[in-house]
């Protein structure tokens, strides 16, 4: 785990294909809803050689991972700042290259 960071952007909810085929069989694949932060400014994330994760450049979207049961739906369509820890996508359930474990969320004034 890295140091906490704060990212700012617009929160959206997006639906992605899930198991069993993750889009190979759209008629039977489950749907996964995820909170996606559309960043105000793109970010770059260093490689994580211990997990063989490559560096990510010019990332404009980050998936929010709520570990403490935060209800992020109240923030959809709003400009927010999220503080937490970044990590690289590593499963088929991760639909952006970079994710953030949410520590806190704050609404931002326009």
């Amino acid at each position: 785990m890295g140091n906490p960071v704060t990212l700012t952007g617009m929160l959206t909810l997006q639906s992605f294909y899930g198991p069993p085929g993750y889009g190979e069989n759209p008629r039977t694949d489950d749907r996964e809803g995820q909170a996606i932060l559309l960043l105000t400014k793109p970010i770059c994330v260093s490689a994580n050689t211990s997990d063989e994760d490559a560096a990510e450049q010019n990332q404009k979207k980050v998936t929010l991972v709520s570990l403490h049961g935060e209800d992020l739906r109240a923030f959809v369509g709003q400009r927010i700042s999220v503080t937490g820890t970044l990590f690289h996508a590593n499963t088929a359930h991760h639909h952006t290259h970079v994710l953030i474990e949410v520590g806190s969320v704050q609404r931002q004034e326009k």
Side-chain angles (χ1 to χ4, degrees):
M1 293 287 201
N3 294 324
V5 299
T6 300
L7 303 176
T8 301
M10 182 75 64
L11 186 65
T12 65
L13 290 181
Q14 295 184 12
S15 180
F16 300 94
Y17 290 113
Y22 296 91
E24 290 181 12
N25 237 340
R27 295 175 74 201
T28 58
D29 288 344
D30 288 339
R31 302 270 198 239
E32 298 179 334
Q34 295 184 355
I36 307 293
L37 187 64
L38 305 175
L39 299 173
T40 303
K41 296 180 183 177
I43 61 170
C44 299
V45 179
S46 300
N48 181 353
T49 55
S50 66
D51 287 337
E52 299 182 14
D53 294 323
E56 301 293 349
Q57 305 296 319
N58 200 34
Q59 296 301 300
K60 298 175 184 175
K61 296 180 182 181
V62 176
T63 301
L64 277 59
V65 179
S66 172
L67 298 180
H68 306 289
E70 295 93 351
D71 185 1
L72 300 172
R73 292 175 293 181
F75 298 103
V76 171
Q78 297 183 25
R79 182 177 154 90
I80 61 172
S81 288
V82 178
T83 300
T85 307
L86 297 175
F87 65 100
H88 295 268
N90 53 27
T91 76
H93 297 283
H94 297 160
H95 298 284
T96 59
H97 295 289
V98 178
L99 299 87
I100 186 169
E101 289 183 1
V102 176
S104 66
V105 178
Q106 284 192 318
R107 263 185 200 94
Q108 297 295 303
E109 297 299 320
K110 292 185 178 189

